[in-house]
């Protein structure tokens, strides 16, 4: 029965395919489609029928021999003719025996761990799969495409792998394009971690004038009448007119008084548009202004300033109907007025007021002709201290920039703030701490180091005597 052994030896090795490795299009490798074994159902059924007929005929021939089974040597030629001559004989009905595979040739599905008996199978990653068991690790559906992605030992549809690993722009929600060097290049905000396509920096995408986040495609920012944009989170606590800002202004004056830095003069405070603030800067002879945009100003000259008299109303996603009025400012002391840009959230407005009030305090207390790094630096420290006292999460671990009197005062006066407002406060603190300008950034870091080492009062005294920070 050598021909029967040949049948068994020839079967198990058919259809064992190889894998084809291609250069990856993504960060993981892309593999060619797994090979499919050739023993489809029609061929398997045909082989079963032929095998049954052959075994039946072999048994019949052996029984006809006088000595029963003949286990002698054979050439194989006689037995090879028998199936052809009596293939259609009905004397001995065919039967379907259970197929036998040597142990080393049995194929176990890598998906369901069941033996692969008949039908198509896929060869991949040194193992075999039922076609329905070769599934994407992400979506769970079978992989039928010509190529797939492999990450570790897990296969993915190419589209699923890209969805999981290729970053999407958080502005236009498209996959961030690959640059000429074949790399994924994107921009990322250092605080908010907002990832976006480089093109959005120059395609007129709106940016919040307060928190700097770009306007996503699915969210419309509010448009202020002077051309600025305001995101929804900053809009929640935005201060829109001079009357609304008065309680905040007086609370910061009280904050200064709690640190034994009382300001006795009644200094007017006005909220103004961008154009009015820029005009006031032009008319101011002294002072150093933050670029690219100044948000507050401590005036020392007499001017007529247009202030926000009545807050604008919401019309769709625009703020319209704002009423302004001109106001003549007369010089009664070293400080004429404090101007702040309208439409900013409460914590940013307060930080600007704290900064400008420090300018006023220095001028009213005889601190003259300070260089920008010293004056702007110490004003930024006071702004940072006020923010620090307002933001609840960091209050427990704040550095020694503020005195114990100020911290106890502010903690008794402030109320609980929302997570959104606390996060904005942390952002404004981060802006001050990481400012790159020599006067506002370098000055703040030098001033903050001096205050941490010597305390606020000793630092101010040293500035008054020498014009510089103590070292």
């Amino acid at each position: 029965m050598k021909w029967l052994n040949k049948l068994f030896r020839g079967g198990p090795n058919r259809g064992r395919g190889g894998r084809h490795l291609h250069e990856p299009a993504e960060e993981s490798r892309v593999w060619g489609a797994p090979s499919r074994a050739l023993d489809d159902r029609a061929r398997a059924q045909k082989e079963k029928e032929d095998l049954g007929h052959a075994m039946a005929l072999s048994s019949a021939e052996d029984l006809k021999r006088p000595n029963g089974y003949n286990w002698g040597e054979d050439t194989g030629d006689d037995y090879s003719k028998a199936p052809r001559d009596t293939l259609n004989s009905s004397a001995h009905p065919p039967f379907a025996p259970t197929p036998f595979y040597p142990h080393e040739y049995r194929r176990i599905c890598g998906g369901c761990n069941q033996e692969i008996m008949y039908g198509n199978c896929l060869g991949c990653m040194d193992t075999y799969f039922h076609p329905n068991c070769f599934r994407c690790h992400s979506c769970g559906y079978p992989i039928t495409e010509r190529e797939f992605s492999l990450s570790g030992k897990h296969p993915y549809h190419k589209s699923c792998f890209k969805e999981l690993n290729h970053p999407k722009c958080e502005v236009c929600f498209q996959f961030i394009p690959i640059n000429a060097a074949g790399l994924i290049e994107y921009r990322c905000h250092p605080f908010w971690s907002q990832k976006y396509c480089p093109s959005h920096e120059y395609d007129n995408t709106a940016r919040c004038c307060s928190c700097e986040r770009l306007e996503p495609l699915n969210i419309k920012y509010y448009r202020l009448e002077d051309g600025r944009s305001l995101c929804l989170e900053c809009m929640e606590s935005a201060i829109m007119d001079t009357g609304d800002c008065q309680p905040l202004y007086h609370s910061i004056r009280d904050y200064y008084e709690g640190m034994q830095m009382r300001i006795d003069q009644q200094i007017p405070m006005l909220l103004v548009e961008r154009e009015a603030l820029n005009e006031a800067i032009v008319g101011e002879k002294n002072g150093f202004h933050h670029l690219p945009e100044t948000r507050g100003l401590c005036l020392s000259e007499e001017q007529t300033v247009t202030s926000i008299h009545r807050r604008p109303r919401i019309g769709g996603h625009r703020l319209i109907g704002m009423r302004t009025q001109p106001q003549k400012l007369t010089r009664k002391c070293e400080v004429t007025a404090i101007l702040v840009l309208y439409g900013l959230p409460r914590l940013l407005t307060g930080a600007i007021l704290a900064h400008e009030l420090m300018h006023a305090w220095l001028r009213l207390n005889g601190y003259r002709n300070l260089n920008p790094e010293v004056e702007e630096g110490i004003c930024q420290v006071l702004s940072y201290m006020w923010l620090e006292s307002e933001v609840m999460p960091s209050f427990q671990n704040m550095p020694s920039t503020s005195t114990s009197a100020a911290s106890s005062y502010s903690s008794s006066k402030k109320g609980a703030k929302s997570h959104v407002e606390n996060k904005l406060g942390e952002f404004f603190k981060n802006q001050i701490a990481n400012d790159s300008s020599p006067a506002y950034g370098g000055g703040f870091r030098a001033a903050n180091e001096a205050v941490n080492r010597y305390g606020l009062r000793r630092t101010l005294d040293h500035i008054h005597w020498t014009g510089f920070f103590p070292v």
Side-chain angles (χ1 to χ4, degrees), residues 264-282:
D264 293 322
Q265 285 79 2
Q266 294 302 312
I267 303 170
M269 188 281 303
L270 305 174
L271 254 60
V272 297
E273 293 181 272
R274 174 193 281 172
E275 184 180 357
L277 186 61
N278 291 337
E279 290 176 354
I281 291 173
V282 173

Side-chain angles (χ1 to χ4, degrees), residues 46-59:
K46 180 72 166 56
E47 290 178 355
K48 287 166 61 180
E49 293 176 358
D50 290 347
L51 183 63
H53 279 292
M55 295 183 67
L57 290 171
S58 177
S59 298

